Amino acid sequence: MVVALPAVYDEFDLPRTELAARALRYAEEAEPAVVFRHSVRSYLFARALADRRGMRAGRDFDDELVFLGCVLHDLGLSEQGNGRQRFEVDGADLAAGFLRGRGVQEHAVAVVWDAIALHTSEGIASRKGPEVALTHEGISVDVLGFGKEFLPEGFAERVHAAFPREDLAYAISDMIVRQALADPAKAGPLGFPGQLLRHHLPPGELPGWYDLIARAGWGDRPASAHPAAPGT
């Protein structure tokens, strides 16, 4: 059954299934507007990149799963999604619960979970299947501009006119940092949230990789710390 969506979506080709419409409403109600619009733009950019490569929905990827991955990917930044894990995993868990509550099959839930949990994991998401990869790419275009040169001419302007940015990249970074400052468990030193948090703490307060090695207690030393061999 084709479901009607609000008029703002009329010029764009979104999935019109009941599940897609429910996910769209769920994200819009749960997330700050700036985050919700980012999620919609991410899907539109993901589909544009797929089209450019000649990938066809239903043959090369499941369009509804890409939509769900993109639209729900930042639930971890919502009030109800703010748990004790890094925001990507909190969001993936909340999205999975939403989908299971609507009878979505477990294999599809697993794809959406991966797409959300890995959406900041460069070099990993691209290897997990087309739906996960496209979700990651669409999000990367919208936040960092990676791949925007491959979008159709004028497409980004149309998308931004319908779904304004409002300084998205800085706004979303600030949300991640606020969560991490309130609960450091959400920002391990080697993950993306930890990288953001490090810029907002006094130098050395959040350990880096070499700090962790030094604290490990195994006595490992860099090669430069060993005495040179005789005759070298």
Side-chain angles (χ1 to χ4, degrees), residues 62-188:
D62 186 316
D63 187 40
E64 186 177 57
L65 294 184
V66 174
F67 180 81
L68 294 171
C70 287
V71 166
L72 302 175
H73 84 270
D74 271 334
L75 285 176
L77 297 178
S78 68
E79 184 176 346
Q80 67 190 99
N82 185 9
R84 297 300 310 278
Q85 307 169 101
R86 52 189 288 175
F87 82 98
E88 304 98 316
V89 178
D90 277 337
D93 286 348
L94 184 57
F98 168 82
L99 296 175
R100 291 189 182 108
R102 282 144 191 84
V104 176
Q105 295 184 355
E106 197 59 33
H107 77 274
V109 173
V111 171
V112 176
W113 193 95
D114 280 352
I116 296 173
L118 296 174
H119 80 263
T120 64
S121 298
E122 183 180 3
I124 299 176
S126 60
R127 300 293 297 273
K128 288 291 290 182
E131 294 83 11
V132 178
L134 285 171
T135 297
H136 172 71
E137 290 183 60
I139 294 165
S140 297
V141 170
D142 195 52
V143 177
L144 296 172
F146 292 164
K148 67 180 182 180
E149 66 272 19
F150 300 118
L151 297 173
E153 185 175 355
F155 183 70
E157 290 75 11
R158 288 200 297 121
V159 171
H160 286 130
F163 309 102
R165 294 190 65 84
E166 295 190 50
D167 299 317
L168 175 277
Y170 285 99
I172 208 166
S173 298
D174 290 345
M175 292 177 198
I176 296 168
V177 170
R178 280 198 296 271
Q179 285 190 349
L181 288 172
D183 182 1
K186 296 181 66 66

